[in-house]
Amino acid sequence: MKLDYLCSGLNVTDDKQAIEIFRCIRWANGVYCPECKSFDIIMAGGGKYGKLNRYICKNCNIHFNDFAGTIFHKSKISLGEIFYILSNLGTRSIKQISEELSCSRQTVHRISKVFHDEINKQTKRKQNI
């Protein structure tokens, strides 16, 4: 499987494992609503949306998944592939990465740009504190 090979450098064997790693980081202090920040959360109907968990906030009734409010929200490529892109941006060109993943250069460029924009935004926030 393509993803097994790509994720091996990150010690991530598959997309399911990549999502579990993401959940451990994102929800380290518990699952909370991205809208109102409440921890009064329940799993939504079966709890799954593809490989992602679905939740409902009991405070504001918003429905969300693990990626809601993150740079990964609505991405069409797998989290393992996103990890691969981000971990190789410094050593490979966008063209090389797109060829390795068999995806468009625009996709790799978009992931790169969104990631760098978010880092710049966080850096500016810290400088203004």
Side-chain angles (χ1 to χ4, degrees), residues 82-121:
I82 292 171
F83 281 179
Y84 183 79
I85 291 168
L86 297 178
S87 67
N88 286 286
L89 281 173
T91 59
R92 291 184 174 87
S93 70
I94 287 175
K95 182 180 177 186
Q96 287 173 309
I97 295 170
S98 69
E99 289 170 354
E100 291 167 359
L101 292 175
S102 300
C103 67
S104 72
R105 285 184 291 185
Q106 290 84 0
T107 297
V108 176
H109 181 266
R110 182 185 60 81
I111 295 295
S112 172
K113 182 175 178 354
V114 167
F115 184 72
H116 283 105
D117 289 351
E118 186 63 26
I119 288 175
N120 289 337
K121 189 167 78 175

Side-chain angles (χ1 to χ4, degrees), residues 1-125:
M1 179 184 203
K2 175 177 70 172
L3 194 56
D4 291 340
Y5 167 74
L6 297 177
C7 293
S8 64
L10 293 171
N11 296 321
V12 177
T13 58
D14 61 21
D15 201 45
K16 184 177 177 181
Q17 187 178 10
I19 291 169
E20 286 302 318
I21 291 167
F22 176 82
R23 274 192 201 111
C24 288
I25 296 167
R26 170 130 200 229
W27 307 126
N29 296 318
V31 178
Y32 62 89
C33 175
E35 189 71 28
C36 72
K37 310 300 184 223
S38 170
F39 284 91
D40 197 6
I41 302 299
I42 58 172
M43 295 290 278
K48 292 288 182 190
Y49 178 73
K51 295 178 182 174
L52 302 176
N53 288 339
R54 294 180 348 166
Y55 311 96
I56 300 173
C57 175
K58 290 172 71 177
N59 186 51
C60 70
N61 204 36
I62 191 172
H63 293 234
F64 61 98
N65 66 33
D66 292 313
F67 290 168
T70 72
I71 63 172
F72 308 112
H73 187 67
K74 295 187 180 181
S75 180
K76 301 291 186 216
I77 64 173
S78 73
L79 187 60
E81 290 171 315
I82 292 171
F83 281 179
Y84 183 79
I85 291 168
L86 297 178
S87 67
N88 286 286
L89 281 173
T91 59
R92 291 184 174 87
S93 70
I94 287 175
K95 182 180 177 186
Q96 287 173 309
I97 295 170
S98 69
E99 289 170 354
E100 291 167 359
L101 292 175
S102 300
C103 67
S104 72
R105 285 184 291 185
Q106 290 84 0
T107 297
V108 176
H109 181 266
R110 182 185 60 81
I111 295 295
S112 172
K113 182 175 178 354
V114 167
F115 184 72
H116 283 105
D117 289 351
E118 186 63 26
I119 288 175
N120 289 337
K121 189 167 78 175
Q122 296 297 328
T123 301
K124 286 179 184 176
R125 267 193 211 145

